[in-house]
Amino acid sequence: MSRRPRKDVPAQSVPRPTVSVCRGCCCGTEKIPGVDHAAQLARLRSGLEGAATVRAVECLDACEQGNVIVVQPSAEGRRAGGRPVWLGLVNDEHAEKDVITWASAGGPGLADAPDILDLYVFQPSRRVRAGLDG
C-alpha cells in the first residue's frame, strides 16, 4: 500500500474535443506554399491548451484539400449529436482562430461553429473517414 497522499481528482472533466491536424505527404509541407506549417500547429496547440486535444496525424488522404483539420466531438458532444467535421484549405490564421474559438466553446454537438467555417467544410470518402476513426 502506498503512503503517498492522493491527488484530488476533479469530479467531472470538462468536455474536450479533439483537433486532428494533417501533417502527412502534402499538408504541413512545402507542397502547400505560403504557410508556416510549424507555426500553424503551434498556434492551434497554444490556443486550445486546456480546451481541446490537438494532435498531428499522418496523411488523411484528402490532399486536394490541404491543409486539413478534423474537429472531433468530445464524448459529451457525440452524445449530443456531434460528429467529426472535416475542414479543408485551412491555410490562414483567420480560419485557425475560428477553429480555436469553436473548439474552445465545446466543438461539434456542444457549440455552433462560426458561420465562416462553412466555407471550409468538406466530406471525404467513407474510406478516408473510417481511417481517422479506426
Side-chain angles (χ1 to χ4, degrees):
M1 176 186 244
S2 173
R3 296 195 188 277
R4 289 185 291 181
R6 291 180 55 182
K7 293 182 180 179
D8 290 332
V9 179
Q12 185 177 5
S13 64
V14 177
R16 290 175 53 105
T18 298
V19 177
S20 298
V21 182
C22 185
R23 287 296 178 253
C25 69
C26 295
C27 298
T29 72
E30 64 279 352
K31 291 181 183 179
I32 310 291
V35 178
D36 184 341
H37 302 286
Q40 180 187 53
L41 185 58
R43 284 189 298 268
L44 288 166
R45 285 186 168 145
S46 173
L48 289 168
E49 187 173 351
T53 300
V54 178
R55 61 186 188 138
V57 297
E58 290 299 317
C59 183
L60 291 171
D61 201 18
C63 299
E64 67 282 356
Q65 296 290 329
N67 284 333
V68 175
I69 293 177
V70 182
V71 183
Q72 297 169 271
S74 63
E76 183 179 334
R78 189 166 284 277
R79 283 190 297 274
R83 295 294 173 259
V85 176
W86 289 66
L87 304 169
L89 305 173
V90 183
N91 299 322
D92 64 82
E93 290 184 44
H94 299 293
E96 294 167 23
K97 288 177 183 175
D98 289 330
V99 169
I100 290 168
T101 297
W102 180 34
S104 294
L110 299 180
D112 291 330
D115 290 338
I116 194 72
L117 287 182
D118 288 346
L119 298 173
Y120 297 87
V121 173
F122 74 99
Q123 282 295 326
S125 69
R126 281 183 290 198
R127 178 187 59 79
V128 170
R129 288 191 313 263
L132 183 64
D133 291 336

